[in-house]
Amino acid sequence: MFATRFAPSPTGYLHMGHAFSAWTAFEAAQAAHGRFVLRIEDTDQTRCRPEYEAAIYEDLAWLGLEWEKPVRRQSAHMDDYGAALARLHEMGVLYRCFRTRKDLLDGLAAAPHGFSAPDIVAPISAAEEEDLLAQNKPYAWRLSLSRARARLGAEWEHLGFEANGIWIKAEPERLGDIVLARKEFPASYHLASVLDDGLQAITHVIRGEDLAEAAHIHVVLQALLGLPTPVYHHHRLILDAQGKRFAKRNQSVTLRSLRESGTSLDQIRARLGLSVA
Ligand code: GLU
């Protein structure tokens, strides 16, 4: 059965870009007589706030959306991500990376909007690793592409996905050895999101094109974890009057401020280029 999801992180109030994404996914589910799932991606408890989560439910209801209950809140399922990480560890496809905490935080829990150069860190020697562990140095778990490739064998050559109606051969090297977890933090966005899409039987991932690159590594995780690869649809990004992407820090364009200032749903839909009843 067709199933899609909207998976916001409660790190700020929802804005026009979220409205576009949520409506696009919701209407696709309706057209297919399928399921629409709302998932709260709140693994990073340092950035997520309960008032933002409450606002998500309120704002989406205002948009006229209905979603399956109960809502999966990732922070309540950290053990699941820990178990998936342990499985990958047993497969031998992870290695510890001891770069500084600041380096590690970049691109960990937050969805990686905007990707930098491929990040491949050579695994260090066993002796060096032992030494750093003895010093209690913080580390991250990275997915080794070379080991994943060896593990998947012939399957590696066929990894790919359908995005916007086109078959795309996966090029995980574009992202490199991504960080999947950190010593005291068992789940990156990549791991939690891929696992949950599988657990929630999501057949169609509909999200902004800023996350299009992520699919190249998500298919590797799906293959390793024995999960099916969904169909992807990466939609255009909604830009503000200055031609910039809406950012959560720009409070003036939140859905709640639009609602409070009396903007109607039809006005928002028209601004987003969506059909108005
Ligand atoms: N939680 C992510 C975000 O708020 C979205 C992840 C996804 O759709 O794959 O940007």
Side-chain angles (χ1 to χ4, degrees), residues 25-137:
F26 181 70
E27 284 163 18
Q30 279 195 316
H33 303 288
R35 299 166 51 223
F36 176 73
V37 171
L38 169 64
R39 182 167 73 227
I40 301 293
E41 299 208 326
D42 60 348
T43 54
D44 183 358
Q45 288 290 306
T46 60
R47 294 171 61 241
C48 296
R49 302 231 304 257
E51 60 269 36
Y52 293 140
E53 184 180 333
I56 287 173
Y57 302 128
E58 233 175 81
D59 293 346
L60 295 182
W62 180 59
L63 296 182
L65 269 55
E66 284 166 32
W67 53 89
E68 287 185 2
K69 313 263 175 4
V71 169
R72 185 171 171 94
R73 302 171 63 250
Q74 291 187 327
S75 58
H77 299 279
M78 297 307 271
D79 289 354
D80 290 354
Y81 313 126
L85 190 76
R87 275 179 63 200
L88 293 170
H89 185 48
E90 273 160 33
M91 289 176 203
V93 294
L94 302 183
Y95 65 93
R96 287 192 182 91
C97 165
F98 288 86
R99 289 193 340 194
T100 65
R101 192 177 170 84
K102 196 201 155 298
D103 290 345
L104 301 184
L105 282 174
D106 292 343
L108 177 59
H113 301 287
F115 289 88
S116 49
D119 207 1
I120 298 186
V121 185
I124 52 176
S125 72
E128 213 181 327
E129 177 164 339
E130 234 170 83
D131 191 40
L132 289 165
L133 283 175
Q135 292 175 46
N136 216 7
K137 289 264 194 256

Side-chain angles (χ1 to χ4, degrees), residues 115-238:
F115 289 88
S116 49
D119 207 1
I120 298 186
V121 185
I124 52 176
S125 72
E128 213 181 327
E129 177 164 339
E130 234 170 83
D131 191 40
L132 289 165
L133 283 175
Q135 292 175 46
N136 216 7
K137 289 264 194 256
Y139 59 82
W141 285 110
R142 283 182 184 269
L143 175 68
S144 161
L145 284 188
S146 57
R147 294 187 203 167
R149 180 185 195 135
R151 167 91 195 183
L152 291 171
E155 204 186 332
W156 178 271
E157 301 308 325
H158 304 289
L159 289 180
F161 53 95
E162 185 191 322
N164 300 18
I166 295 167
W167 178 257
I168 297 177
K169 186 174 164 29
E171 292 175 7
E173 335 33 67
R174 285 157 70 148
L175 284 91
D177 290 356
I178 52 158
V179 170
L180 284 189
R182 160 155 62 81
K183 197 176 166 191
E184 65 289 11
F185 187 97
S188 69
Y189 152 72
H190 296 295
L191 184 60
S193 191
V194 162
L195 196 74
D196 283 354
D197 284 340
L199 285 175
Q200 297 186 296
I202 299 301
T203 60
H204 289 70
V205 168
I206 297 172
R207 61 186 174 195
E209 65 190 9
D210 51 341
L211 286 168
E213 287 284 291
H216 288 274
I217 202 74
H218 291 180
V219 294
V220 175
L221 288 171
Q222 286 150 5
L224 289 168
L225 294 169
L227 300 169
T229 292
V231 171
Y232 291 89
H233 175 79
H234 294 115
H235 61 68
R236 66 185 163 88
L237 295 181
I238 302 302

